[in-house]
Amino acid sequence: EPPENDHGAKVVGYKVAIRLDAQQTDRNGPAEWITLCEQTKSAVPAYVVTDLIGNSSYTLDIHAVNKVGPGDGCEYRVATAP
């Protein structure tokens, strides 16, 4: 959903990031945030994330973007089917 308050500046897109832990990457160490898209091409709040591992959980962080830049993020926990 779009943010409750755009503070007078129209939302032009969304920044999308995903949190990956060591099991979901080839790296050892703590989980890390990976930016998937700095700004979607439209303000329609839809984005397809590809190449996820089946039967896994992910955390996505979504930020509305306006002419000032990205706003506060909103985290969503999602799971993939086996």
Side-chain angles (χ1 to χ4, degrees):
E1 292 182 21
E4 292 178 16
N5 187 343
D6 63 12
H7 300 285
K10 180 180 164 186
V11 172
V12 296
Y14 291 88
K15 178 179 178 179
V16 181
I18 191 168
R19 185 174 184 221
L20 299 177
D21 62 29
Q23 296 169 329
Q24 296 163 324
T25 67
D26 293 333
R27 304 175 193 178
N28 293 324
E32 62 180 300
W33 285 101
I34 306 289
T35 298
L36 300 175
C37 181
E38 283 291 337
Q39 182 179 326
T40 58
K41 294 180 181 181
S42 77
V44 176
Y47 186 81
V48 177
V49 180
T50 60
D51 299 323
L52 300 177
I53 299 168
N55 204 30
S56 298
S57 294
Y58 296 88
T59 302
L60 296 170
D61 189 30
I62 312 298
H63 301 253
V65 178
N66 62 19
K67 66 182 180 182
V68 178
D72 294 335
C74 187
E75 292 184 10
Y76 296 92
R77 189 85 172 148
V78 297
T80 57

